[in-house]
Amino acid sequence: MKLFSINTLLLLFVLISFSSSGYAEDGYRLWLRYDKLADPAKVAAYRNAVSQIVLDGQSETIQAAREELTLGLKGLLGTDVSFVNQATKEGTLIVGTPSTSKLIASLNLKNQLATIGNEGFIIQRTKVGTTQNIVIAANTDVGVLYGVFHFLRLIQTQQDISSVNSVNTPKINHRILNHWDNLNRTVERGYAGASLWDWHKLPDYTSPRYKDYARANASVGINGTVLTNVNANALILTPQYLEKVAALANIFRPYGIRVYLTARFSAPVEMGGLKTADPLDPQVIAWWKQKTEEIYTYVPDFGGFLVKANSEGQPGPQNYGRTHADGANMLADAVGPKGGIVMWRAFVYDNKVPDDRAKQAYTEFKPLDGTFRKNVLVQVKNGAVDFQPREPFHPLFGAMPRTPMMMEFQITQEYLGFATHMVFLASLFKETLYADTYAKGKGSEVAKVIDGSLDKHELTGIAGVANIGDERNWCGHPFGQANWYAFGRLAWDHTLSESQIADEWLRMTFSNDNRFLKPVKEMMLASRETLVNYMTPLGLHHIMGYNHHYGPGPWVNQASRPDWNSVYYHKADSIGVGFDRTTKGSDAVSQYFPPVRDMFNSTQTCPEKFLLWFHHVPWDYKTQSGRILWDELCYRYYSGAKSVQQMQQTWNTLQPMIDAERFVHVKDLLKVQEKEARWWRDACVLYFQSFSKRPIPSDLEKPPYPLEHYVKIKHLFVPGI
Ligand code: GCW
């Protein structure tokens, strides 16, 4: 008698090979895994602390909070926690706002609620009658949802909640992902598959991933998403596409996420049939006004526009002799009456301008300070060149006190190893946010410019260029998810430390086991410095492969624009290497406030990590280690590559502690990273040696091939263009 069919056996096998929760560990669940906690004592304590839930309110957002609590608690504690009407017993979780919940209104929270604004929440132990309970309270439903996610995080990361007391508000208002996604589903600088937005099937088919995307964002407090590439396509503004945009907005809305679009500046000509897109032309003004009103009929809470204008070939107001402010203000007037904003990018540089590229955004934008409408933010990349592994902070931060300045970070790893290198970007984000601009004396950190506290702005924002695609695990590299997570957490609260963020993410994504946490956290925290060492140590920058930006290319000198050549940036010659941006050189240093300018201006005070960014330094210059520059450069490259080998060794010890699927995935990607780190090291050291004419220090192994070998390597089909 045949007991089982082959199919049944196969199914059984598949089920057994999955983790105990019944899920394949393919990374789909991100940090919202909610697997049952391993420590039975902790589970028992949490079950006592949350024996039942009172959650009042009917909105879709409250509905989402209810769903998340159900899913999260059932998963983490392995039991259904029931929803009831009254706090009848000890350990009731009371959730809601004073306007939706009589119980919340009856608690004495008025003073505290008055301090937390529209998105904040309070999580607190509280007594109702004689019973001890926990309350999650907010002024709005979305505040409740954020509170619920935070509460679940406390349990998921095994925090002690017996005396929980958290009053939590975001420091920045607009916390936005920028998708560089095209309508044909390619993603500019995207390395995690095709675009999540399946325009062809929208609006009728909506993938379940859209909701999971919204959940993930809401769980870290991201409240906006720009769906389309800044290299914009006007088609997105047509009714055919607006219908699709509306379908996405409907899914995101309950999760507190507003949708934004990129506006192609020439749209009035391309689709409106006008002869001009001049922002001062009455017909153009009327066209955008009408178009904006139309968008609001599809998406009543449309957030506004993100614009890249007069940059890298994109059209803009300067085509008509107008300024960036003229362009931004025209759009701001169109969206303003509906509560929309305009995020106008400052990423501009013109190869016809002979000046140092790093200076151009400041030169163009600073004079415009004070001329923008109230609902315009100027969106500035973290550094003045372009999302390099390390850049000094952009001099525009602090330099335009009358304009809200929005930070733009890049989460996708265009210049940091795509989706194959493990690099934890919280370190990069924090380094920029906590650089001191000295705009108003000591203590004028970039973070204070961005959160509005330095110049008293109410309108504040931060953007991250997303690393998300349709790959099953969302970001390509399992550790790429940590950068999405870190961006969201820092956008909410930039005071959080890299270490805390890594710790939370690892606990939620992998394991609460200390034997796993400690080494992996150390590895993550060191990973950015490691990458800088094997790619661009000591302030080197923009020396990667031409156009696709893959791999080393310090020899690139034939680009279609001079400022796309690597030689433009490193200026290596027989004397030394580095870009002289001092007062005797391009004078980029003078765009910084005096103490910062002076610090960068001298090799004696310039932090070594920025040495070659600001100085052309002789090969025999004595660095802080006591070595001459040439030797130091070699040691940095070699130490970077070696650190990746150490990462591999560490990872290999962790096999027993995590699932086989992700263990192997990361292990294999580390192989790629190790290989590419050596590729960078060997190519760069040999290339710079052709100028320094000095030997590679004798204790370092010699590159296996001559320089020509590396120069000849060509990659035709690189992802992300
Ligand atoms: O980093 C560069 C990228 C371009 C990008 C541009 C920008 C969207 O190489 O692909 O274009 O910056 O930020 O506008």
Side-chain angles (χ1 to χ4, degrees):
M1 193 177 70
K2 201 165 130 198
L3 279 177
F4 298 109
S5 74
I6 291 289
N7 279 347
T8 319
L9 282 174
L10 262 180
L11 183 71
L12 267 177
F13 173 74
V14 169
L15 283 177
I16 292 163
S17 14
F18 287 174
S19 73
S20 56
S21 64
Y23 285 97
E25 290 291 6
D26 55 13
Y28 182 84
R29 293 181 295 158
L30 295 159
W31 48 89
L32 301 176
R33 283 167 71 253
Y34 302 143
D35 279 348
K36 188 167 174 201
L37 298 175
D39 181 343
K42 288 236 151 81
V43 172
Y46 290 134
R47 276 189 194 159
N48 283 336
V50 189
S51 61
Q52 56 178 21
I53 305 170
V54 177
L55 168 60
D56 293 323
Q58 297 304 325
S59 72
E60 286 187 303
T61 302
I62 291 294
Q63 215 34 54
R66 182 174 294 127
E67 256 179 60
E68 205 64 36
L69 274 173
T70 308
L71 187 72
L73 293 176
K74 184 172 174 59
L76 292 164
L77 307 183
T79 175
D80 285 312
V81 181
S82 48
F83 287 85
V84 296
N85 291 327
Q86 277 170 353
T88 44
K89 66 173 176 190
E90 189 89 3
T92 304
L93 183 66
I94 306 164
V95 191
T97 71
S99 51
T100 55
S101 161
K102 283 208 185 98
L103 191 48
I104 298 268
S106 73
L107 301 172
N108 190 14
L109 296 168
K110 218 165 156 206
N111 291 345
Q112 289 185 58
L113 285 170
T115 65
I116 62 166
N118 279 338
E119 294 181 301
F121 57 83
I122 299 165
I123 305 180
Q124 212 166 71
R125 298 280 298 180
T126 192
K127 256 196 159 162
V128 177
T130 53
T131 58
Q132 262 308 340
N133 308 287
I134 295 177
V135 64
I136 304 179
N139 292 313
T140 62
D141 291 350
V142 79
V144 169
L145 181 67
Y146 290 149
V148 161
F149 273 116
H150 190 76
F151 183 69
L152 289 170
R153 172 161 52 233
L154 294 177
I155 296 182
Q156 205 178 346
T157 58
Q158 299 196 162
Q159 305 304 303
D160 179 5
I161 57 168
S162 60
S163 52
V164 60
N165 188 5
S166 162
V167 179
N168 218 310
T169 49
K171 295 198 162 40
I172 297 172
N173 300 333
H174 294 282
R175 306 174 297 277
I176 301 186
L177 284 182
N178 288 185
H179 288 266
W180 287 356
D181 293 19
N182 300 314
L183 300 184
N184 64 4
R185 293 194 76 188
T186 56
V187 181
E188 184 154 349
R189 312 309 181 181
Y191 312 99
S195 169
L196 263 192
W197 323 132
D198 193 347
W199 297 110
H200 177 67
K201 299 199 190 98
L202 282 163
D204 297 317
Y205 172 72
T206 52
S207 157
R209 292 192 81 149
Y210 301 148
K211 181 172 161 186
D212 287 330
Y213 166 85
R215 289 176 53 229
N217 281 327
S219 77
V220 287
I222 290 170
N223 66 1
T225 179
V226 182
L227 300 176
T228 45
N229 192 350
V230 286
N231 290 332
N233 188 330
L235 260 188
I236 194 69
L237 305 174
T238 59
Q240 191 190 359
Y241 276 90
L242 289 174
E243 214 189 346
K244 299 167 191 278
V245 170
L248 290 174
N250 291 342
I251 296 170
F252 301 161
R253 189 170 299 113
Y255 289 89
I257 297 165
R258 286 175 110 181
V259 159
Y260 300 76
L261 295 175
T262 45
R264 182 153 170 91
F265 206 76
S266 50
V269 177
E270 286 175 35
M271 35 180 305
L274 300 187
K275 295 218 161 44
T276 175
D278 180 349
L280 301 191
D281 181 289
Q283 278 188 306
V284 172
I285 296 172
W287 188 88
W288 278 110
K289 199 166 175 305
Q290 188 277 325
K291 180 48 74 186
T292 303
E293 276 164 16
E294 189 186 346
I295 297 174
Y296 278 98
T297 63
Y298 287 92
V299 184
D301 56 351
F302 175 60
F305 294 119
L306 168 65
V307 188
K308 170 176 178 178
N310 295 118
S311 163
E312 299 183 332
Q314 294 300 305
Q318 292 176 338
N319 300 25
Y320 307 94
R322 312 298 184 192
T323 68
H324 284 288
D326 294 330
N329 291 343
M330 183 269 295
L331 290 174
D333 289 342
V335 294
K338 305 279 191 189
I341 57 166
V342 169
M343 297 162 283
W344 193 270
R345 295 177 88 225
F347 178 67
V348 296
Y349 63 106
D350 184 348
N351 65 327
K352 290 182 208 89
V353 177
D355 208 2
D356 175 2
R357 168 172 166 186
K359 290 173 67 182
Q360 293 182 32
Y362 179 101
T363 308
E364 270 195 55
F365 274 81
K366 180 164 166 61
L368 299 175
D369 190 26
T371 65
F372 290 96
R373 294 283 190 272
K374 293 240 165 328
N375 56 333
V376 175
L377 292 129
V378 171
Q379 182 167 311
V380 182
K381 288 188 181 183
N382 57 286
V385 171
D386 196 5
F387 296 140
Q388 297 303 295
R390 170 167 276 138
E391 295 194 37
F393 70 91
H394 202 300
L396 272 173
F397 294 120
M400 295 179 63
R402 290 191 290 160
T403 311
M405 304 299 273
M406 187 161 174
M407 171 66 77
E408 180 176 317
F409 283 125
Q410 194 179 43
I411 310 171
T412 191
Q413 293 167 226
E414 174 181 358
Y415 297 100
L416 290 95
F418 295 3
T420 49
H421 293 214
M422 179 196 291
V423 51
F424 183 48
L425 296 179
S427 321
L428 187 162
F429 301 157
K430 285 284 284 194
E431 182 175 293
T432 311
L433 287 167
Y434 279 84
D436 197 342
T437 68
Y438 279 82
K440 292 200 167 153
K442 195 170 163 43
S444 307
E445 290 88 3
V446 172
K448 291 187 187 155
V449 176
I450 301 306
D451 71 16
S453 60
L454 192 70
D455 300 308
K456 308 280 169 284
H457 289 295
E458 296 284 319
L459 180 62
T460 54
I462 182 164
V465 180
N467 62 347
I468 302 161
D470 76 343
E471 277 196 12
R472 184 68 192 157
N473 75 2
W474 304 84
C475 303
H477 198 302
F479 279 74
Q481 300 176 356
N483 296 330
W484 176 7
Y485 183 85
F487 168 76
R489 294 290 284 141
L490 286 170
W492 180 279
D493 181 1
H494 54 68
T495 67
L496 293 173
S497 70
E498 298 97 293
S499 168
Q500 169 164 353
I501 297 170
D503 191 80
E504 284 177 4
W505 179 80
L506 282 171
R507 286 172 184 273
M508 297 167 84
T509 309
F510 282 102
S511 162
N512 276 298
D513 185 338
N514 259 320
R515 292 168 309 156
F516 175 82
L517 282 174
K518 196 170 170 291
V520 183
K521 192 157 77 176
E522 274 168 20
M523 183 156 104
M524 285 172 79
L525 294 179
S527 61
R528 190 278 189 122
E529 206 60 47
T530 292
L531 178 133
V532 168
N533 279 335
Y534 66 72
M535 283 189 180
T536 52
L538 297 167
L540 285 172
H541 51 288
H542 212 290
I543 55 170
M544 62 288 146
Y546 175 58
N547 199 9
H548 49 55
H549 299 168
Y550 176 53
W555 46 79
V556 171
N557 63 2
Q558 302 288 322
S560 56
R561 308 171 41 151
D563 51 9
W564 286 350
N565 281 324
S566 301
V567 296
Y568 174 97
Y569 295 95
H570 63 66
K571 302 205 185 319
D573 55 24
S574 59
I575 298 165
V577 59
F579 197 133
D580 183 357
R581 294 191 164 106
T582 67
T583 45
K584 296 201 185 81
S586 82
D587 199 23
V589 289
S590 294
Q591 294 183 337
Y592 291 96
F593 287 87
V596 185
R597 175 197 62 200
D598 299 341
M599 173 184 68
F600 287 152
N601 198 40
S602 152
T603 49
Q604 294 311 301
T605 48
C606 180
E608 209 158 67
K609 61 185 178 189
F610 297 132
L611 188 63
L612 305 180
W613 187 283
F614 288 112
H615 299 271
H616 189 74
V617 182
W619 293 113
D620 62 357
Y621 170 87
K622 192 121 173 254
T623 64
Q624 277 158 20
S625 66
R627 299 183 188 114
I628 61 163
L629 176 69
W630 164 249
D631 290 347
E632 182 65 17
L633 197 65
C634 291
Y635 277 108
R636 296 276 178 134
Y637 271 112
Y638 277 79
S639 100
K642 189 157 178 227
S643 303
V644 183
Q645 288 168 2
Q646 281 154 0
M647 287 163 85
Q648 289 183 294
Q649 281 160 19
T650 306
W651 187 256
N652 288 343
T653 64
L654 303 168
Q655 182 160 19
M657 281 162 245
I658 59 162
D659 53 283
E661 245 172 315
R662 291 182 299 169
F663 173 77
V664 171
H665 194 176
V666 173
K667 183 179 155 100
D668 287 351
L669 290 175
L670 280 168
K671 277 188 215 155
V672 178
Q673 185 170 0
E674 195 275 331
K675 198 154 76 178
E676 294 189 356
R678 267 187 293 116
W679 175 26
W680 269 90
R681 176 194 81 183
D682 295 341
C684 291
V685 164
L686 288 172
Y687 172 76
F688 289 120
Q689 187 182 37
S690 68
F691 296 93
S692 80
K693 308 277 185 225
R694 290 166 188 267
I696 296 171
S698 58
D699 55 332
L700 303 177
E701 68 183 284
K702 300 286 164 291
Y705 305 104
L707 176 59
E708 299 73 63
H709 166 88
Y710 300 96
V711 177
K712 274 200 207 126
I713 297 175
K714 294 272 176 293
H715 288 275
L716 290 180
F717 303 110
V718 175
I721 309 230

